Amino acid sequence: MDRSSLFQLIQEQLDPENTGFIPVENFTSLVEHHELQLDPSKLDMLLALVQSNEEGQVCYQELIELMSSKRSSSFRRAIANGRRTLQREILLDETGLGLYKRFVRYVAYEILPCETDRRWYFHQNRLCPPPVFIAVVTIVQIIVFMCYGIMLNKWVLQTYQLDFMKSPLVYHPGHRAQVWRFFSYMFMHVGLEQLGFNALLQLMIGVPLEMVHGILRISLLYMAGVLAGSLTVSITDMRAPVVGGSGGVYALCSAHLANVVMNWAGMRCPYKLLRMILALVCMSSEVGRAVWLRFSPPVPSSGPQPSFMAHLSGAVVGISMGLLILRSYEESLQKQCSWWVIVFSFITFLLFAIFWNIFAYDLLGVQIPLPP
């Protein structure tokens, strides 16, 4: 029986008057005795939805969304508040899994705080589309770094080289009119230590996040962090250039860490406290290194060194926009008021930053270093 025929059968038998609701007794009989072509996780969730309903009705639209591999917020609340506990074994007890499915299970326990969500992700996971965004960004960053390293014959403190700062990818306040630089600076890095730190965090945290939440949401979060980073520097550190993907990296990391803290009891990743402390120490050390290079450069330079404000603004984006994205697994963001508040706030900041870059430099008389 195909899906459309099944939907028609359910509506004709259980909701002939098109009220939008199905009596619990009739639906329970269909679930338990009819040939519903559902995987075990969906069948468990349907039964939980039935048992948790207090009004004696099941919403037909919620049923359609579930069987179409969609999950509404009302369905998730029904599961969370239901009187029925799902009776299947937890995901860690699954045996006979191949290498890829074991990796998927590992990702589920690393990212998701709820056993129901973890089982849902495990059974729904597909390789298409693959998590390519973070991987592609990291590969391009490595290639760009290798090219400039070979050209300059220098692998650390590349920003002290005039030819490096002449790159069309670097954000420089003297080139604010070249809009692409507000994004392209993420492909340039101060040296091997910054590239290694960013690439490691991107792959360790970004790839699992992209596998669970999808390429659109994670790429949006990463690029929002990158854009916020360069715009914040143009407002708060007006004479400084920017290089490195730290804005996007800190958006991902801060969102994930905040999600772990807010769902501490539900997270089942091993050694989570130790890993949390280690991540915070590493991120703080990277910010400290950036502050040191900005204000106390170890060697003489021809102009201001790259700003550290992109790190902080990326973290703010992660804690605000990113946390909401990670807490809305398989839920529509467009239906949440808080999402539109965050979008409105980001657009307001974007418009303010545009007007600031157009008018403030002249009004304040800022002496911008001559671009290389």
Side-chain angles (χ1 to χ4, degrees):
M1 181 182 296
D2 60 25
R3 184 174 296 169
S4 60
S5 301
L6 181 58
F7 291 163
Q8 184 177 3
L9 172 66
I10 293 174
Q11 187 170 21
E12 289 177 352
Q13 291 188 359
L14 305 182
D15 187 27
E17 299 180 1
N18 293 321
T19 62
F21 294 92
I22 301 170
V24 167
E25 297 80 6
N26 297 346
F27 181 70
T28 303
S29 176
L30 178 70
V31 170
E32 294 179 346
H33 300 103
H34 203 276
E35 61 277 7
L36 287 178
Q37 301 297 319
L38 294 173
D39 61 58
S41 62
K42 281 189 178 181
L43 188 58
D44 278 342
M45 291 179 183
L46 280 172
L47 290 172
L49 178 62
V50 169
Q51 298 295 329
S52 66
N53 189 279
E54 297 181 354
E55 300 179 359
Q57 295 177 324
V58 175
C59 178
Y60 177 74
Q61 184 59 40
E62 288 183 355
L63 172 64
I64 299 304
E65 288 182 350
L66 173 65
M67 299 182 70
S68 302
S69 296
K70 298 179 181 179
R71 300 173 71 184
S72 65
S73 57
S74 58
F75 174 79
R76 288 167 57 88
R77 286 195 298 270
I79 295 296
N81 300 325
R83 294 188 299 270
R84 173 188 170 92
T85 302
L86 301 184
Q87 297 297 323
R88 299 188 67 239
E89 296 178 343
I90 64 174
L91 195 55
L92 282 176
D93 295 333
E94 295 275 357
T95 58
L97 300 178
L99 180 62
Y100 174 71
K101 293 302 287 185
R102 288 201 299 270
F103 178 67
V104 170
R105 182 175 62 182
Y106 164 80
V107 169
Y109 276 92
E110 284 290 311
I111 304 300
L112 296 170
C114 174
E115 184 66 23
T116 302
D117 286 340
R118 289 191 284 259
R119 283 219 314 269
W120 177 274
Y121 168 72
F122 180 80
H123 290 290
Q124 292 294 319
N125 177 261
R126 301 290 185 272
L127 276 174
C128 185
V132 297
F133 174 76
I134 295 297
V136 169
V137 167
T138 305
I139 290 173
V140 173
Q141 289 172 339
I142 293 174
I143 292 175
V144 170
F145 178 79
M146 293 293 293
C147 290
Y148 278 93
I150 294 173
M151 181 179 68
L152 301 173
N153 193 27
K154 191 175 181 65
W155 304 97
V156 294
L157 301 178
Q158 290 184 349
T159 52
Y160 292 87
Q161 300 294 313
L162 190 61
D163 289 337
F164 179 89
M165 298 304 293
K166 287 181 179 180
S167 169
L169 301 179
V170 173
Y171 167 81
H172 190 283
H175 292 306
R176 300 190 313 281
Q178 298 174 359
V179 178
W180 72 84
R181 291 177 181 260
F182 285 89
F183 297 92
S184 63
Y185 77 92
M186 71 180 189
F187 297 114
M188 307 289 288
H189 287 83
V190 173
L192 187 61
E193 70 289 349
Q194 185 189 26
L195 173 66
F197 178 82
N198 285 348
L200 183 63
L201 285 184
Q202 283 177 182
L203 295 176
M204 290 182 61
I205 296 178
V207 170
L209 287 177
E210 189 177 348
M211 289 179 63
V212 173
H213 296 282
I215 186 173
L216 289 179
R217 291 188 176 190
I218 298 306
S219 61
L220 172 64
L221 175 58
Y222 188 92
M223 296 308 297
V226 169
L227 179 59
S230 54
L231 291 177
T232 300
V233 171
S234 70
I235 296 172
T236 61
D237 199 358
M238 300 170 68
R239 302 180 69 249
V242 190
V243 295
S246 297
V249 172
Y250 275 63
L252 297 179
C253 293
S254 59
H256 178 58
L257 294 179
N259 190 45
V260 170
V261 171
M262 295 190 67
N263 298 279
W264 189 261
M267 298 301 292
R268 292 292 182 267
C269 47
Y271 308 109
K272 56 185 176 182
L273 179 59
L274 177 61
R275 292 164 62 181
M276 172 76 70
I277 295 174
L278 182 61
L280 291 176
V281 169
C282 291
M283 293 172 66
S284 301
S285 300
E286 171 61 17
V287 174
R289 187 194 65 86
V291 173
W292 171 63
L293 290 178
R294 172 68 180 91
F295 295 112
S296 299
V299 296
S301 60
S302 59
Q305 288 301 295
S307 176
F308 59 90
M309 290 302 298
H311 300 70
L312 305 182
S313 58
V316 172
V317 169
I319 294 173
S320 55
M321 179 188 294
L323 182 58
L324 179 60
I325 288 176
L326 300 195
R327 296 183 67 186
S328 301
Y329 171 64
E330 289 288 328
E331 287 188 41
S332 173
L333 292 171
Q334 292 84 345
K335 296 180 181 179
Q336 301 184 48
C337 180
S338 53
W339 170 251
W340 292 111
V341 171
I342 291 174
V343 170
F344 176 77
S345 301
F346 191 85
I347 292 176
T348 302
F349 166 71
L350 178 62
L351 293 176
F352 172 79
I354 291 174
F355 279 98
W356 182 275
N357 276 272
I358 293 175
F359 301 110
Y361 281 77
D362 293 333
L363 292 176
L364 298 176
V366 177
Q367 298 296 319
I368 302 175
L370 294 176

